[in-house]
Amino acid sequence: MDKINIGISACLTGKKVRYDGSHKQDHYITDTLGKYFEFSPVCPEVEYGLPVPREPMRLTGDPQNPRLVTIRTYMDHTDGMKKWAEEKTKGLTGRNCAVLFLRAVHRLQA
């Protein structure tokens, strides 16, 4: 039986791509679900071109139109990340990717 392809945060698979150079490997995902699913690891920040380690970012502003901004230097990565996301989702669709599961959870700051 063919495994279903799932796009997943690279940090959840053990890749050290988080802003601080760490990972958030989830063994339930890799060891248990990995028996049934094929994973396509994705790290938006790294694929967009940001380094590891990097300055942390957060979503700010209008909840209907938030901006992705670094927390110390206030560099706005919104437009570049939107462009990356459009291209990435096209690529995953072409690979018959069933789901895209990204771990990143951000609090929106006004």
Side-chain angles (χ1 to χ4, degrees):
M1 183 164 121
D2 289 339
K3 292 182 177 183
I4 296 171
N5 188 18
I6 296 180
I8 189 166
S9 286
C11 64
L12 294 176
T13 66
K15 295 189 185 324
K16 295 180 178 183
V17 294
R18 289 176 45 84
Y19 74 94
D20 60 359
S22 68
H23 65 79
K24 287 285 187 178
Q25 184 169 11
D26 185 319
H27 288 283
Y28 177 75
I29 291 172
T30 56
D31 301 344
T32 302
L33 296 179
K35 296 175 186 175
Y36 307 100
F37 298 97
E38 176 185 338
F39 299 125
S40 293
V42 176
C43 178
E45 295 87 352
V46 170
E47 292 184 24
Y48 164 61
L50 297 175
V52 177
R54 62 185 164 272
E55 184 178 356
M57 297 182 281
R58 66 179 178 206
L59 294 173
T60 64
D62 178 4
Q64 300 303 314
N65 191 24
R67 306 299 297 177
L68 181 62
V69 180
T70 57
I71 65 170
R72 286 189 304 276
T73 61
Y74 305 105
M75 182 170 280
D76 190 329
H77 291 282
T78 307
D79 295 335
M81 191 62 80
K82 282 182 177 179
K83 182 177 178 182
W84 171 87
E86 289 172 10
E87 294 300 317
K88 186 64 177 184
T89 54
K90 288 178 191 175
L92 289 174
T93 301
R95 294 181 57 191
N96 295 320
C97 185
V99 176
L100 181 59
F101 179 72
L102 298 174
R103 183 190 184 285
V105 176
H106 299 278
R107 287 192 327 240
L108 189 60
Q109 308 244 337

